[in-house]
Amino acid sequence: MKKLKKFFLLSLIVANITPVVFADTNNNRFIAISFTPNISSEIKDKTLDSSDMLGVYGGIKNFISEKIGIYIGFDATVNEFANENPKLYYDYTLINAGLTFSPTKQLTFLAGVGYSWDELNEKPLIFNDSDCWNCLDESEDIKTLEENSQLNFNMEVMYEINRFGIIAGYNTAPKAYNIGISMSF
C-alpha cells in the first residue's frame, strides 16, 4: 500500500510539472495560407495576362530536432483565363516540401524543393440548335495545347506573435513572391 501511495504521489507531481517543463512543445505545428498576385510562365506570357495563386502550407517546426522541422506546400491558380472561341484555360500548380529552421520561437525559415507544372487547355465552343438558333455551348472535349513542368525552389519566412503570424516567400519556377497568414497549434 505504501508503494502505491508513493507511485500515486509521484504521478501527481510529474503530471503537474509536465505542462511547465514541456510548455514549449505546444504550438509546434503550423498551417499557413498564402496569396501570389502575379506569376510568370513561358506558356502564359505568350497567350494570357497575369494570374493569381493561392497556397496552403503545413508542417511541424521541431520534427527532426528542437529547431529543425519539416513542411509541405501546395499552390494553384485561382482564376482561369478564358478567351472566346475556342476558350483557352490556363492552370498552374506547385508542390513543395522541405525543412524548417526556427532560431527563435517567433521566427521560422522554410526552404525546400518542389515540382511545378502549368498547362494551357482548349475547350472549343459548338453551335447548339436545340434551344435557340444562335446559341453556343462549350464542347466536352478538352485538349491540352501546351505543357510546361520544371523544378521549383521555395523559400519562406514566417513570423508569429502568440499563435498567429505572417508568412512571405518566393518560388523560383513562377518567379513570384507570395504573402499570407499563419497559425500555430
Side-chain angles (χ1 to χ4, degrees):
M1 184 73 169
K2 200 172 189 180
K3 286 185 180 185
L4 185 60
K5 284 182 183 179
K6 282 184 180 180
F7 178 76
F8 182 71
L9 183 61
L10 186 61
S11 297
L12 283 174
I13 292 170
V14 169
N16 287 326
I17 291 176
T18 303
V20 175
V21 174
F22 299 107
D24 201 10
T25 61
N26 294 338
N27 300 333
N28 65 350
R29 292 185 169 100
F30 69 91
I31 188 164
I33 297 172
S34 69
F35 175 71
T36 305
N38 191 7
I39 60 175
S40 176
S41 166
E42 292 177 18
I43 295 173
K44 178 186 74 65
D45 293 338
K46 293 179 194 173
T47 315
L48 304 165
D49 295 332
S50 64
S51 185
D52 303 331
M53 285 195 312
L54 279 180
V56 177
Y57 293 83
I60 302 171
K61 295 180 193 174
N62 61 356
F63 187 76
I64 297 172
S65 71
E66 185 179 314
K67 294 185 177 194
I68 298 176
I70 60 171
Y71 82 97
I72 188 164
F74 178 77
D75 295 90
T77 50
V78 292
N79 51 349
E80 294 179 332
F81 291 99
N83 297 339
E84 290 307 317
N85 192 7
K87 282 197 173 188
L88 299 175
Y89 295 96
Y90 175 74
D91 296 316
Y92 201 108
T93 307
L94 287 170
I95 294 178
N96 296 304
L99 298 175
T100 67
F101 175 67
S102 302
T104 67
K105 190 173 181 180
Q106 291 85 16
L107 185 63
T108 303
F109 296 100
L110 293 77
V113 65
Y115 184 72
S116 78
W117 67 93
D118 55 333
E119 56 185 28
L120 183 64
N121 298 314
E122 177 185 46
K123 193 172 194 181
L125 297 175
I126 56 171
F127 180 69
N128 182 2
D129 58 355
S130 63
D131 295 333
C132 65
W133 63 275
N134 71 356
C135 294
L136 294 174
D137 284 339
E138 292 183 12
S139 169
E140 296 299 320
D141 299 328
I142 296 175
K143 184 170 118 181
T144 301
L145 299 176
E146 286 187 62
E147 290 179 311
N148 183 27
S149 61
Q150 57 187 329
L151 193 62
N152 180 60
F153 294 98
N154 173 254
M155 174 66 181
E156 306 283 332
V157 176
M158 185 168 54
Y159 185 77
E160 295 179 318
I161 298 174
N162 295 330
R163 292 179 36 204
F164 299 97
I166 60 171
I167 187 168
Y170 183 76
N171 285 298
T172 60
K175 299 178 182 111
Y177 292 95
N178 60 4
I179 189 161
I181 57 173
S182 66
M183 182 182 86
S184 291
F185 55 95

